[in-house]
Amino acid sequence: MTIDQVRLFLAERGFLDRLREFEQSTATVELAAEALGAAPDQIAKSLAFYRDDGAVLVVAAGTRRVDNRKFKDQFGVKARMLSAEDTERLTGNAPGGVCPFLTPDAVRVWLDVSLRDHETVYPAAGSPHSGVALSCAELEALVEPDGWCDVCKPLEAAT
C-alpha cells in the first residue's frame, strides 16, 4: 500500500487532517515519538506475526512487547514475528511503516488493550515517515479489527 492510498482512505473518512508526514524517519518508536512530539507509549506500533493462512497484526502501545504465553493463549500459535521480506509481502508495507488499516485479507488485525491508556495514539500510515493522530475509538473504526486483545507486557518486564 502506498502513502497515496492511505491519504485517499483518510480523506474519504474525514481524517486527512490527522495525517502527519516527515522527512525524518518514524520507523522506530523513539523516532516516531520525537517526530510526532508524543510519548513513546502513544506510538501505536504494528507487530506482525506468522499464522497458518497469513499474518496477524497486533497494534500495541510503543513501550510494550508481546508476552509469548498470552499470545499463544489468544491465537493458539507460538508468536513468530514476520521477516522483513514477509512483512512487506503480506502487509503491503515495509517494517517501520506498517499501517493497521487497508490491510490485505490474509492479515488479521487485533488492537491490544495497552492502547487504551492514551487519549491519542499514532499508528504508521504506510510509510516510515508518517503517523496519524487518532483516538482509540477512531483507530478501531478505521481498522475494523478482529477485536481487542491483551497479549502485551511492558518492555521492562520482558524476560
Side-chain angles (χ1 to χ4, degrees):
M1 141 194 17
T2 67
I3 190 74
D4 290 332
Q5 290 170 307
V6 173
R7 275 191 210 102
L8 180 61
F9 175 84
L10 293 172
E12 289 172 344
R13 287 154 183 81
F15 290 97
L16 185 58
D17 63 325
R18 309 285 189 84
L19 176 63
R20 307 252 329 261
E21 294 181 75
F22 305 93
E23 288 191 25
Q24 76 250 40
S25 176
T26 57
T28 68
V29 168
E30 294 77 18
L31 292 172
E34 183 180 324
L36 291 158
D41 206 43
Q42 289 180 274
I43 304 305
K45 65 183 177 181
S46 296
L47 304 168
F49 299 90
Y50 290 100
R51 53 176 263 196
D52 292 340
D53 55 346
V56 62
L57 196 67
V58 175
V59 185
T63 59
R64 306 299 172 95
R65 66 174 279 166
V66 166
D67 179 296
N68 290 323
R69 169 80 328 206
K70 287 180 173 184
F71 187 94
K72 187 167 186 177
D73 290 347
Q74 175 73 39
F75 299 111
V77 295
K78 181 180 176 181
R80 288 187 322 119
M81 292 201 73
L82 296 182
S83 67
E85 297 80 22
D86 285 343
T87 297
E88 191 158 4
R89 180 177 61 82
L90 291 170
T91 70
N93 298 124
V98 177
C99 183
F101 32 87
L102 289 174
T103 56
D105 291 340
V107 178
R108 310 309 320 154
V109 182
W110 288 78
L111 302 178
D112 188 77
V113 297
S114 60
L115 296 170
R116 291 182 174 159
D117 291 344
H118 301 285
E119 283 186 37
T120 304
V121 295
Y122 300 87
S127 83
H129 299 275
S130 64
V132 183
L134 300 167
S135 70
C136 285
E138 292 166 339
L139 177 64
E140 183 176 16
L142 290 174
V143 171
E144 297 181 5
D146 284 25
W148 286 85
C149 62
D150 182 4
V151 298
C152 290
K153 61 185 173 185
L155 287 175
E156 61 272 5
T159 57

